[in-house]
Amino acid sequence: MEEEDRIEESSRVRLRGRTFSGGGVNESRWVDGSEVDSESPPLSLFDDNEAKEGYGSLRRRLVKKPKRVDSFDVEAMEIAGAHGHHPKDISTWHTLALAFQTLGVVYGDMGTSPLYVFSDVFSKVKIESEVDILGALSLVMYTIALLPLVKYVFVVLKANDNGEGGTFALYSLICRYAKVNMLPNRQPADEQISSFRLKLPTPELERALSIKETLERRSSLKTLLLLLVLMGTSMVIGDGILTPAISVMSAVSGLQGAVKGFDTTAVVVFSIVILVALFSIQQFGTSKVGFSFAPALALWFFSLGSIGIYNLVEYDITVIKAVNPAYIYFFFKKNSKDAWSALGGCILCITGAEAMFADLGHFSVPAIQIAFTFVVFPCLLLAYMGQAAFLMKYPESSDRIFYDSVPESLFWPVFVIATLAAMIASQAMISATFSCVKQSMALGCFPRMKIIHTSRKLMGQIYIPVINWFLMIMCVVVVSIFRSTTDIANAYGIAEVGVMLVTTTLVTLVMLLIWQTNLFMALCFPLVFGSIELIYFSAVLSKVLEGGWLPLVFASFFLSVMYIWNYGSVLKYQSEVREKISMDFMLELGSTLGTVRTPGIGLLYNELVHGIPSIFGQFLLSLPAIHSTIVFVCIKYVPIPVVPQEERFLFRRVCPKDYHMFRCIARYGYKDIRKEDHHAFEQLLVQSLENFLRKEAQELALESGLQEMDLDSVSVGSRDYSTRDVPDNEELKVPLMLGTRSEEVETSSSEAASAALPSSIMSSEIDPSLEYELSALREAIDSGFTYFLAHGDVRAKKNSFFLKKLVINYLYAFLRRNCRAGAANMSVPHMNILQVGMTYMV
């Protein structure tokens, strides 16, 4: 098992190159860079006019390839491999194996719904004629057919974010197209990631463009969208608490009629024991749990189908006529208000439907579609029709319809399988809860926690210890307090329908923004499915006082936690941007930074993607010396599931060359696993930095060569700092970012450039500036790495509103103190950490 954001402890890494002797500054070969001709000279080498004209001209020429994203960068350059990211095709047998696993993880909750659906429905409506039975059966059949089958299997599953599902996956999908993320750290270079690209609407679709512009322009809509996503995620977590409680209690309650003296207290105690065992095995991973549970669920679905067929043949096969939706009309006409109240029990037949989408990251779309269409759907229909056939003959058995409809000789085998199935049913929402929490953490909406990846093959299979034990405690509390499946069912319906409404809203937005769906079809989706869900939601809301308050309390709690964390994080980031160090100040300090530069590499972790963080000034004031090479490392999550390894790092040069300062943005998707230890991370970072320096020199050499061909008076060794801009049609044919993505273009263009340029320019070994910078970098590597960590606190200003002071000074501060610290989250070596605190007033 690999821990999230794993960088193992250690402090040294040696790469190829020379080893420099000497321990002190005076004995070291290191100088400020004035020994060699720098290709980007400091402004102090010129008088004011020459400096502004020459340096500015060089910047303007370089900015053209590619666009400059930082306010003071010479050029934004991306370190990438020659090969793109191509996921492997999944074989048919592997898909079938995954489909088999989904039975044990995704469909357990929906599969156990026959245990309690009809008993809950007919607790609201008394059976007086066949209309009551056929109407209820017709409601159940069409609810399963319309919502899980049509909505989720054929529509919602296609709205996945590169194989990841759930409300946050939909949110990230929307964030990629429209800039609605509350944290303003998006960069143009992020859109060059291969898995980031989307099929954008054509200009003719003014509807999509106008919606996009409206979302980006109005901050209130951004906040509303975020609150909607957080509410959906909170409901999923609430499902993760209620699903185990109702499933296990429903199965265990079968013993009340079969074993004398087995009362409600015994049901509660036995259920708690099973729940504790269930949550204790989560640490072994979804894959192992799925393969262990899938055979039991396969046997369960086979039992449901077989018993259903037996009851149909044995009692009343004419219940098949419930496929006629007219019986739904007759049901409501006869029972009116009671029928509307019974919808709260009917919705339980699709409990766990959201898990089909939320658990998508653990499996695949075809696997979930195959399992539901060919196994789950037909077996559930047969089970409900069989129970309806039994009720046609024995209407008084509605309280214990499931166990009473089982042939007497099969009671105990079915009870054992039902108990196992109820335990497994909880797995669907537990796995979905883990996925949703991880996604929200990656997108900055949940406090940092320890995440353990339980599979080396499937990145989506994770385990979060804190969430797991919290769910277990809450389940035990719910079972102990309610002691009845009826009250838990009232609570369960609100959480289930609430998540469905959020999904319907977000998928509609995806249709309008991204899919280019016809307006009529896009509106039909919320009109049809949203209307059905709103009807069900109105029915379950009437049960607020009878247990329905519980999911609302859970949702409100998690919504508050997530919104407070996001709100505080955004304010902290805005404060860092506002207080960043100006470039003029850095140029005034000079290449020594106003202190002593000693050999070594300092990795300063911060959240800024632009500018120099103010915390760097605190390190300059606090330390007697600073390292010869400084790299500002920003670990940033982008709204995509996976960033290919070769596109991980984005390097930029900060300040002129003799400052030896760089920015490295390490980009991760919300499904990415940082499996490398700190040795591997350091080595990969340094190798990428070396590649950056070589490609930068190559780019400058190519541009100098082109200038040489245009201006015969310019010699090879000189530098042109004139104010002449390079026209658009004279741009280099081999820009760095494109050159790293296309091997063929790079090869052919390099050959053409080589023919036109002197060999001395094309040889990095002879380039004194590059050779010096690489040797200085290797000397710094040999001296070791130091990690500079910033502990930034956020405090509200004295003149702030009381509510803001409460949220920032107490609630957000409490979450920051008790969440996983930055050093622990990155697992950096403690012996090499330097940490400075800073308080931001917001």
Side-chain angles (χ1 to χ4, degrees):
M1 291 185 294
E2 301 289 344
E3 184 179 339
E4 169 72 2
D5 292 340
R6 193 171 184 78
I7 306 179
E8 300 280 47
E9 287 196 17
S10 183
S11 61
R12 298 294 177 92
V13 57
R14 294 177 182 269
L15 300 180
R16 63 185 183 279
R18 284 180 285 186
T19 302
F20 297 89
S21 60
V25 179
N26 296 332
E27 300 175 0
S28 172
R29 183 180 176 276
W30 179 262
V31 292
D32 291 333
S34 56
E35 289 183 353
V36 295
D37 180 23
S38 174
E39 297 184 52
S40 124
L43 298 181
S44 58
L45 296 182
F46 306 96
D47 60 40
D48 292 342
N49 293 331
E50 290 177 343
K52 292 178 181 178
E53 292 177 359
Y55 192 62
S57 174
L58 178 64
R59 287 167 61 93
R60 283 194 295 272
R61 290 199 301 274
L62 292 179
V63 153
K64 289 178 176 290
K65 294 111 9 218
K67 281 188 177 180
R68 178 168 56 89
V69 244
D70 198 296
S71 58
F72 52 83
D73 280 340
V74 173
E75 184 174 8
M77 298 183 179
E78 186 173 17
I79 303 301
H83 304 287
H85 179 66
H86 302 289
K88 296 181 179 179
D89 293 331
I90 300 179
S91 65
T92 303
W93 288 110
H94 184 59
T95 300
L96 293 177
L98 285 177
F100 180 70
Q101 283 190 54
T102 62
L103 297 178
V105 176
V106 177
Y107 295 115
D109 191 8
M110 199 180 304
T112 55
S113 61
L115 286 169
Y116 45 79
V117 169
F118 275 158
S119 61
D120 192 89
V121 169
F122 292 117
S123 67
K124 276 72 172 188
V125 176
K126 294 182 180 181
I127 301 178
E128 298 174 350
S129 66
E130 69 172 15
V131 172
D132 299 317
I133 299 173
L134 295 178
L137 176 60
S138 188
L139 265 175
V140 169
M141 292 172 63
Y142 279 98
T143 300
I144 297 175
L146 286 175
L147 293 181
L149 183 63
V150 178
K151 177 187 171 182
Y152 280 92
V153 171
F154 293 111
V155 181
V156 174
L157 287 180
K158 294 181 181 180
N160 66 86
D161 186 13
N162 291 334
E164 189 74 7
T167 51
F168 263 100
L170 289 172
Y171 182 61
S172 71
L173 201 61
I174 296 170
C175 286
R176 294 221 299 277
Y177 175 66
K179 298 177 182 179
V180 296
N181 197 340
M182 301 296 289
L183 196 64
N185 65 349
R186 178 165 168 175
Q187 300 170 277
D190 294 339
E191 299 175 14
Q192 302 299 322
I193 301 174
S194 56
S195 54
F196 194 102
R197 298 179 187 129
L198 294 170
K199 181 181 178 182
L200 298 180
T202 58
E204 291 77 16
L205 292 179
E206 297 181 2
R207 160 178 53 84
L209 293 176
S210 62
I211 294 174
K212 174 180 179 291
E213 292 171 359
T214 303
L215 284 174
E216 292 178 346
R217 185 174 63 251
R218 301 182 61 178
S219 59
S220 59
L221 291 180
K222 294 181 182 180
T223 304
L224 182 63
L225 181 62
L226 177 65
L227 287 174
L228 186 68
V229 172
L230 297 183
M231 177 60 72
T233 305
S234 303
M235 292 289 188
V236 171
I237 299 175
D239 275 354
I241 296 172
L242 297 174
T243 298
I246 190 173
S247 300
V248 172
M249 281 198 72
S250 298
V252 174
S253 62
L255 292 175
Q256 284 186 292
V259 178
K260 292 182 179 180
F262 199 86
D263 57 5
T264 302
T265 302
V267 171
V268 171
V269 172
F270 198 41
S271 298
I272 289 175
V273 171
I274 294 176
L275 288 171
V276 172
L278 173 67
F279 283 100
S280 299
I281 63 174
Q282 293 300 314
Q283 59 186 308
F284 298 110
T286 305
S287 181
K288 296 182 179 64
V289 172
F291 263 121
S292 302
F293 286 170
L297 256 297
L299 183 59
W300 169 253
F301 280 111
F302 175 76
S303 302
L304 288 178
S306 301
I307 295 172
I309 294 174
Y310 170 80
N311 288 333
L312 277 173
V313 175
E314 180 70 19
Y315 299 109
D316 193 346
I317 199 171
T318 62
V319 296
I320 295 178
K321 60 186 179 182
V323 296
N324 184 356
Y327 283 100
I328 298 177
Y329 169 74
F330 298 144
F331 180 72
F332 276 92
K333 183 179 179 180
K334 178 181 179 297
N335 298 289
S336 60
K337 186 178 179 180
D338 290 337
W340 175 73
S341 179
L343 288 176
C346 180
I347 193 63
L348 298 178
C349 69
I350 57 170
T351 53
E354 183 65 26
M356 297 167 61
F357 189 45
D359 283 336
L360 185 57
H362 296 249
F363 303 101
S364 66
V365 173
I368 292 178
Q369 290 175 327
I370 290 171
F372 186 83
T373 306
F374 296 103
V375 178
V376 178
F377 182 61
C379 289
L380 286 179
L381 290 186
L382 289 172
Y384 286 115
M385 286 191 290
Q387 291 184 18
F390 184 85
L391 287 173
M392 294 289 279
K393 190 171 183 179
Y394 302 104
E396 69 281 356
S397 300
S398 60
D399 290 342
R400 287 175 38 86
I401 174 58
F402 177 79
Y403 285 109
D404 286 352
S405 65
V406 174
E408 189 175 348
S409 59
L410 296 177
F411 174 82
W412 285 107
V414 170
F415 171 77
V416 173
I417 299 173
T419 304
L420 289 175
M423 292 178 59
I424 300 165
S426 310
Q427 185 63 45
M429 293 315 301
I430 294 173
S431 302
T433 301
F434 292 159
S435 298
C436 288
V437 170
K438 183 183 185 298
Q439 292 173 15
S440 58
M441 285 172 55
L443 295 177
C445 295
F446 206 91
R448 295 183 298 267
M449 294 182 179
K450 180 180 181 181
I451 297 179
I452 298 174
H453 294 265
T454 58
S455 173
R456 295 179 180 273
K457 296 180 180 179
L458 295 174
M459 291 184 295
Q461 298 190 357
I462 58 175
Y463 167 68
I464 307 178
V466 174
I467 297 296
N468 182 70
W469 302 123
F470 175 81
L471 293 179
M472 186 194 75
I473 293 172
M474 289 296 101
C475 281
V476 171
V477 171
V478 168
V479 170
S480 303
I481 293 177
F482 282 86
R483 303 172 65 89
S484 168
T485 57
T486 303
D487 290 339
I488 299 177
N490 293 333
Y492 198 12
I494 293 180
E496 187 68 28
V497 183
V499 177
M500 290 184 176
L501 283 170
V502 171
T503 301
T504 300
T505 305
L506 294 178
V507 171
T508 302
L509 195 55
V510 168
M511 287 180 171
L512 294 172
L513 278 175
I514 301 170
W515 285 2
Q516 305 182 19
T517 307
N518 178 273
L519 183 60
F520 175 76
M521 296 297 296
L523 293 179
C524 282
F525 181 76
L527 285 177
V528 174
F529 298 109
S531 299
I532 296 172
E533 290 159 0
L534 283 174
I535 292 173
Y536 276 117
F537 195 61
S538 66
V540 295
L541 276 181
S542 65
K543 308 298 180 185
V544 169
L545 299 180
E546 302 172 21
W549 56 268
L550 186 63
L552 298 179
V553 171
F554 284 143
S556 300
F557 171 75
F558 283 105
L559 175 63
S560 300
V561 169
M562 289 190 285
Y563 187 75
I564 289 172
W565 181 264
N566 179 264
Y567 177 69
S569 300
V570 170
L571 287 181
K572 180 175 178 292
Y573 185 86
Q574 291 174 345
S575 299
E576 291 179 349
V577 171
R578 185 173 58 252
E579 299 180 17
K580 64 184 180 182
I581 299 176
S582 68
M583 189 57 196
D584 292 337
F585 178 74
M586 294 299 298
L587 292 176
E588 289 177 5
L589 289 178
S591 59
T592 62
L593 299 178
T595 183
V596 180
R597 303 293 292 271
T598 59
I601 295 181
L603 302 180
L604 194 153
Y605 283 83
N606 68 104
E607 298 179 3
L608 285 185
V609 295
H610 301 290
I612 300 176
S614 57
I615 198 70
F616 183 60
Q618 296 292 324
F619 282 110
L620 291 178
L621 293 174
S622 305
L623 301 177
I626 202 71
H627 294 74
S628 57
T629 300
I630 298 293
V631 181
F632 299 104
V633 181
C634 172
I635 297 178
K636 183 179 75 169
Y637 283 92
V638 290
I640 55 176
V642 177
V643 176
Q645 182 69 27
E646 65 272 13
E647 302 175 46
R648 177 82 63 212
F649 292 106
L650 184 69
F651 267 90
R652 299 192 182 105
R653 185 183 291 278
V654 179
C655 304
K657 274 194 172 183
D658 53 344
Y659 281 65
H660 305 285
M661 295 169 62
F662 307 90
R663 170 176 292 106
C664 170
I665 300 177
R667 301 174 295 185
Y668 290 84
Y670 55 78
K671 279 182 60 180
D672 271 326
I673 311 170
R674 291 182 55 196
K675 295 185 292 187
E676 68 271 8
D677 58 20
H678 88 282
H679 277 301
F681 182 80
E682 291 170 357
Q683 186 171 3
L684 185 61
L685 184 145
V686 171
Q687 288 176 346
S688 299
L689 181 56
E690 285 186 349
N691 292 339
F692 168 81
L693 295 175
R694 294 180 188 278
K695 291 179 183 295
E696 181 189 48
Q698 182 184 18
E699 188 85 357
L700 291 171
L702 286 171
E703 178 158 330
S704 298
L706 291 178
Q707 294 172 16
E708 180 181 294
M709 289 185 288
D710 291 339
L711 302 174
D712 295 333
S713 60
V714 180
S715 64
V716 172
S718 66
R719 296 290 181 266
D720 177 20
Y721 295 113
S722 68
T723 59
R724 186 185 72 88
D725 287 335
V726 180
D728 292 341
N729 58 1
E730 294 183 19
E731 282 196 18
L732 295 180
K733 303 300 182 183
V734 197
L736 176 64
M737 293 180 72
L738 296 180
T740 57
R741 293 181 181 276
S742 175
E743 198 170 342
E744 296 179 0
V745 175
E746 182 177 352
T747 303
S748 61
S749 301
S750 297
E751 291 175 355
S754 299
L757 296 176
S759 59
S760 61
I761 291 181
M762 297 305 297
S763 173
S764 63
E765 297 297 330
I766 302 178
D767 185 346
S769 176
L770 175 62
E771 180 62 23
Y772 166 74
E773 197 156 21
L774 289 177
S775 64
L777 177 62
R778 290 163 187 157
E779 179 185 10
I781 295 169
D782 190 64
S783 298
F785 290 79
T786 299
Y787 293 81
F788 297 97
L789 302 182
H791 179 71
D793 289 327
V794 181
R795 303 286 295 177
K797 297 178 180 178
K798 290 184 178 180
N799 58 350
S800 300
F801 292 110
F802 170 77
L803 184 60
K804 183 177 180 179
K805 290 182 180 179
L806 175 65
V807 170
I808 297 299
N809 296 348
Y810 297 97
L811 301 180
Y812 179 70
F814 175 81
L815 293 176
R816 280 188 62 84
R817 285 195 303 269
N818 291 278
C819 74
R820 192 168 171 82
N825 207 41
M826 294 182 294
S827 299
V828 297
H830 297 288
M831 297 299 295
N832 285 44
I833 290 178
L834 287 176
Q835 189 166 355
V836 170
M838 188 169 183
T839 301
Y840 298 99
M841 303 302 295
V842 297

